[in-house]
Every structure is written in structure tokens, then in C-alpha cells.
Amino acid sequence: DLNACYGCGACVVACSAENNVPVVGKNEVLRFHDMHWLRIDRYFSGNPSDPASIQTIFQPMLCQHCDNAPCENVCPVAATSHSAEGINQMVYNRCIGTRYCANNCPYKVRRFNWADYTGADSFKNNQQISGVGALNDAVLMMNDELTRMVLNPDVTVRSRGVMEKCSFCVQRQQEGKLKAKKENRPLADSDSSVACAQACPADAIIFRNVNNKSSMISKVRADNKNRLYYALEQIHTLPNVNYLAKVRNSDTAGDIERKAHPATDSH
């Protein structure tokens, strides 16, 4: 909900912590090798000649899990595929790092592991420590056994040369389904969520089962049909993530006063 989002970035931090998204360091960011499964885009509106009129809109952007995903068509080894539940999956041990999927993604939400950021490779000391592309000390610390204890044991730690992106915290979904199965009941709204939605202080992000007509997301979509839209809907990727448009009262104080007293405009 773009009306609720104010760009605090809590969702980005929660996503990185939950899914073992590597911290690449300053040197890599300067080379545009930044690594985030979720980013917050900023859009500006207003009159460029009047700085006071400029307003900002924040839009969290993650994998849209498209039903007609352009990334799936171009992978030569079928490392990215579509699940029966509508999730665009990423199979890390099949990926050979062609980056065709990243080139074909219109949302630019896929990230490539340029280096061994988390010490996950089987080769020892497989990290560049000098010259162009040298990793910062903060990244090299991930080779330390104590430091690696911060990693989530439920999520694969990716090695160098593979693509990665949002998985809708699939480990949480599997845990919720297993819990419901053991209790012999249907999956409920409260059984699983995603890290970004759980961390959002404004409740701007909602993740639920769209096949359940009584779920929270189904009710939100039904109640906000006039504001609901999909990113780049015209290119027919059929995304599963929808946005609720930002709504502002554009009347300034002066405009409201003139409307209340139209006679004052005669002079």
C-alpha cells in the first residue's frame, strides 16, 4: 500500500536477515554489485522549478513472481521455474550463472553473486583481498566461524556464480504448511507470512493466500479496486504482486481558501 509506505527500509533489513542476503561491502556497491532481494524505489512529483512542491513516493520493489515470467523462458538449465503455488522458484544448484534471467527481467530484481561473500564456496580463501574488486573487511569476516552463526540455518547460503532473488520466504511457507498438516486442518492466514510484511511498522505489506476468498489479501484487493494496479502491467508478465496507488489531496491552503471565497478572485 503506497499510501502507508514511508520508505523506512525495515523490510529491506528484515529480508536480508531472514534470507542470508550477503553484505557485499562498499567496494562492491561502488561497482554496482549491490545485493538486495528487496529495494525501495523513489519517485518524485511536482514542479522542478519549485523545490517546495516536490513530493516523494516510495515503492518497495521485489520479485513479482509473474505467471508469465520472462526470466523462466531464457534459462538454459531450467534453474528458474514456476511452482504450482504461483511462486517463481530459483534452484541454486542448477544455476550456471549465465545472467540471462537478470537481463530479461523488466523489474531488475535479480542479483548475481559476483564473489564469495559469505564463504560458502568449497575452496578455501576464495575471496579477493587486494586489487580491483577487493572485498571489504566486513565481508571477509563472514569466513569466521563465529560470525557465520548469524546466518539463518533454514535458508541456503549461496555461493559465487549463482543468481538469487525473492522467494517469498519459502522456508516460512513450508513451515506453516507442515504445522497445519500435523494439526490436520487447512492452512490459515496466521500460519505463515514473509519477513518484510512482519517487519513493516506501517503494515504496508500484506502476504496471504489469494486462493482463499476470505483471506486478508483477498479482502484488501476487493475493497481497493479503484487503487489496485500491477507494475508494468502493459507488458503482460502477469505479476502476482499488486500495489495500491498513492492518493494525495492536491489542494493547497490557498486553493481551498479561494474556493471557499470565490468573490475574492475578482480583484
Side-chain angles (χ1 to χ4, degrees), residues 12-24:
V12 179
V13 177
C15 176
S16 296
E18 171 73 22
N19 295 290
N20 297 336
V21 179
V23 176
V24 300

Side-chain angles (χ1 to χ4, degrees), residues 135-255:
L135 300 180
N136 296 107
D137 291 338
V139 182
L140 297 174
M141 283 177 59
M142 291 308 298
N143 278 339
D144 181 70
E145 292 183 0
L146 180 62
T147 309
R148 286 176 61 82
M149 291 182 70
V150 304
L151 298 175
N152 185 352
D154 294 329
V155 182
T156 302
V157 180
R158 279 76 64 188
S159 59
R160 184 180 63 168
V162 301
M163 298 296 305
E164 59 179 78
K165 52 119 202 145
C166 167
S167 65
F168 273 160
C169 294
V170 67
Q171 70 280 359
R172 290 186 170 207
Q173 315 317 319
Q174 292 300 112
E175 182 183 6
K177 288 190 291 184
L178 181 60
K179 177 183 177 183
K181 186 177 181 179
K182 288 193 294 186
E183 296 177 2
N184 195 26
R185 58 172 176 79
L187 190 69
D189 263 11
S190 58
D191 285 331
S192 64
S193 184
V194 286
C196 55
Q198 183 180 353
C200 181
D203 290 331
I205 302 174
I206 297 175
F207 177 85
R208 291 294 184 267
N209 182 10
V210 294
N211 291 322
N212 182 1
K213 299 304 178 183
S214 61
S215 68
M216 185 188 302
I217 185 63
S218 296
K219 293 178 181 178
V220 168
R221 287 182 172 183
D223 294 343
N224 295 275
K225 290 183 178 179
N226 293 332
R227 287 205 295 140
L228 188 147
Y229 75 95
Y230 296 89
L232 302 180
E233 188 173 2
Q234 66 274 19
I235 62 177
H236 197 64
T237 56
L238 303 179
N240 278 302
V241 176
N242 73 270
Y243 293 91
L244 300 182
K246 179 87 171 179
V247 178
R248 281 198 177 106
N249 181 1
S250 60
D251 288 332
T252 63
D255 292 334

Side-chain angles (χ1 to χ4, degrees), residues 64-183:
Q64 304 291 293
H65 294 271
C66 310
D67 285 334
N68 186 29
C71 58
E72 296 174 8
N73 303 328
V74 295
C75 182
V77 292
T80 176
S81 58
H82 213 69
S83 75
E85 297 179 340
I87 293 179
N88 180 248
Q89 301 175 128
M90 188 68 224
V91 186
Y92 302 122
N93 60 355
R94 290 184 64 92
C95 180
I96 58 175
T98 63
R99 289 177 284 156
Y100 292 159
C101 54
N103 290 333
N104 223 33
C105 175
Y107 306 101
K108 300 307 172 190
V109 289
R110 288 176 165 268
R111 296 288 178 253
F112 184 69
N113 282 273
W114 293 93
D116 183 22
Y117 299 116
T118 50
D121 285 355
S122 57
F123 300 102
K124 291 184 177 180
N125 302 321
N126 192 24
Q127 296 177 322
Q128 191 167 345
I129 59 175
S130 62
V132 178
L135 300 180
N136 296 107
D137 291 338
V139 182
L140 297 174
M141 283 177 59
M142 291 308 298
N143 278 339
D144 181 70
E145 292 183 0
L146 180 62
T147 309
R148 286 176 61 82
M149 291 182 70
V150 304
L151 298 175
N152 185 352
D154 294 329
V155 182
T156 302
V157 180
R158 279 76 64 188
S159 59
R160 184 180 63 168
V162 301
M163 298 296 305
E164 59 179 78
K165 52 119 202 145
C166 167
S167 65
F168 273 160
C169 294
V170 67
Q171 70 280 359
R172 290 186 170 207
Q173 315 317 319
Q174 292 300 112
E175 182 183 6
K177 288 190 291 184
L178 181 60
K179 177 183 177 183
K181 186 177 181 179
K182 288 193 294 186
E183 296 177 2

